[in-house]
Amino acid sequence: MTKPAASPSPPPIEDAHLATRRITRLSVGVALLLITLKAFALGASGSVSILATLADSTLDLVASLATFYAVRWAAAPPDEDHRYGHGKGEALAALVQAGLVFASAVFIGWEGIQRIFDPRPVTAGGWATGVVVISIAVTAWLVWMQTRALKATGSLAVAGDRAHYAADLAANTVVLIGVVSGAFLGAPGLDAAAGLVVAVWLFWGAVGMLRAAADHLLDRAVPEADRSAVTHAVLADPRISGVHQLRTRMAGQVMMVQMHVDLDPELTLEAAHAIVVEAENRILSHYPTADILIHADPRGRARPQPAGTAAASPPSEAAPASETALQPRPKGPWS
């Protein structure tokens, strides 16, 4: 009796979407748990540091919910109105996250400044300390899980969510110092100062998220190493004598690649098509989720290249590999 054929494994992009959906569900659950614990600790202690981290966790919940829905929308296939897919929904979620963290930083900083001039004692230090220690342990576990998911998916939305919780991990450590200082050392001013440190940390994290989201939405090219890898994969076939007008950008977890290649003008259309397909498959072996468009030009008859585009020729034995890399791109204000 013949065995039934094994069902094909899902393509890499589906695996990535599944991983992002799982990790976003987990982050929403952790945010709810942390809010419950910190609200209890705030009611018992009145600590400004606890207030700061509670406000941050509340905004984390909002951001995690935004990420939860964004990754599902970004995973939707292309349709008539979105022919390139919905991948940039992840960048929009990252912008929402950055705005919420900015708001959190301003609120916490204002509250910390007020408490410096009007210190208030921290009560129930034992409960507050215990809650912060539990929060640190739970957050560290979530960041570890998100790091694993990020390595598998490269999701910008998950990266933004992870940035939230990585900042929380450091912030909770500062909060622990503030609570212990206010409750056991009789120094409530240190508690307020800890809140200010959290505010500065959140502000810095928000700037990083804003930069990443802006680069994604403005179609910044992928890193130089990736563009060079794409070029070398194409030029591995000696029948392709050059690459020009290479354009790359990210749409969610999909790298969009467009280029022109130089081929022998005497080739038949069928032969040229076969060469191009082989080049696409070489790129896909390095970037399985890439969306690739290659235009074949007769060698020596390519249109003049627009300003700012780069060309590459096959590596020669006399020239080092670095000379075949793409030309540096003009630097932007955030480069």
Side-chain angles (χ1 to χ4, degrees):
M1 183 176 66
T2 59
K3 295 182 179 179
S7 58
S9 57
I13 191 65
E14 291 186 12
D15 288 340
H17 289 324
L18 180 60
T20 55
R21 287 194 292 269
R22 287 175 175 170
I23 198 64
T24 53
R25 282 198 300 267
L26 182 62
S27 72
V28 170
V30 167
L32 287 170
L33 174 62
L34 293 178
I35 288 172
T36 302
L37 291 173
K38 292 174 183 179
F40 170 77
L42 178 62
S45 67
S47 164
V48 68
S49 294
I50 294 292
L51 174 63
T53 190
L54 173 60
D56 183 40
S57 291
T58 302
L59 289 177
D60 280 345
L61 174 60
V62 176
S64 293
L65 285 171
T67 304
F68 179 86
Y69 290 107
V71 297
R72 284 152 179 78
W73 186 63
D79 55 35
E80 188 65 28
D81 295 325
H82 304 88
R83 302 308 293 264
Y84 289 97
H86 303 77
K88 289 186 182 293
E90 293 194 7
L92 293 175
L95 281 180
V96 171
Q97 292 170 334
L100 291 173
V101 175
F102 273 126
S104 179
V106 171
F107 169 74
I108 294 169
W110 176 252
E111 187 68 21
I113 291 173
Q114 286 186 317
R115 292 292 183 94
I116 286 177
F117 292 102
D118 182 22
R120 303 175 192 176
V122 176
T123 59
W127 283 107
T129 301
V131 166
V132 175
V133 170
I134 294 173
S135 297
I136 289 174
V138 173
T139 304
W141 173 73
L142 177 61
V143 169
W144 178 69
M145 295 294 290
Q146 289 175 323
T147 301
R148 292 180 58 189
L150 194 57
K151 289 179 180 179
T153 66
S155 168
L156 182 61
V158 172
D161 215 29
R162 179 183 176 276
H164 268 149
Y165 289 101
D168 286 351
L169 188 58
N172 283 332
T173 303
V174 176
V175 168
L176 181 61
I177 296 172
V179 170
V180 171
S181 300
F184 303 111
L185 302 181
L190 290 178
D191 176 55
L196 287 176
V197 172
V198 173
V200 173
W201 183 271
L202 291 174
F203 184 86
W204 183 253
V207 170
M209 283 188 286
L210 182 61
R211 290 177 58 179
D215 284 345
H216 200 94
L217 291 172
L218 294 175
D219 289 334
R220 184 182 179 89
V222 301
E224 176 69 24
D226 293 319
R227 287 184 284 142
S228 181
V230 167
T231 303
H232 281 77
V234 173
L235 295 177
D237 187 339
R239 295 172 295 179
I240 299 177
S241 58
V243 171
H244 53 280
Q245 296 188 38
L246 174 63
R247 295 180 176 88
T248 59
R249 62 189 178 93
M250 294 301 298
Q253 300 167 33
V254 177
M255 182 169 70
M256 301 287 184
V257 182
Q258 299 178 12
M259 72 184 75
H260 289 219
V261 297
D262 294 325
L263 300 178
D264 185 345
E266 302 301 324
L267 289 172
T268 65
L269 177 60
E270 184 175 0
H273 171 73
I275 293 173
V276 167
V277 170
E278 291 175 11
E280 291 175 347
N281 289 334
R282 289 194 298 275
I283 297 174
L284 289 172
S285 68
H286 294 283
Y287 304 96
T289 64
D291 186 304
I292 307 164
L293 179 62
I294 300 179
H295 176 81
D297 283 334
R299 185 181 303 123
R301 302 180 194 173
R303 293 179 301 173
Q305 298 180 40
T309 58
S313 300
S316 62
E317 295 182 0
S322 60
E323 291 183 5
T324 66
L326 300 179
Q327 299 297 323
R329 294 174 60 84
K331 298 297 184 181
W334 286 345
S335 298

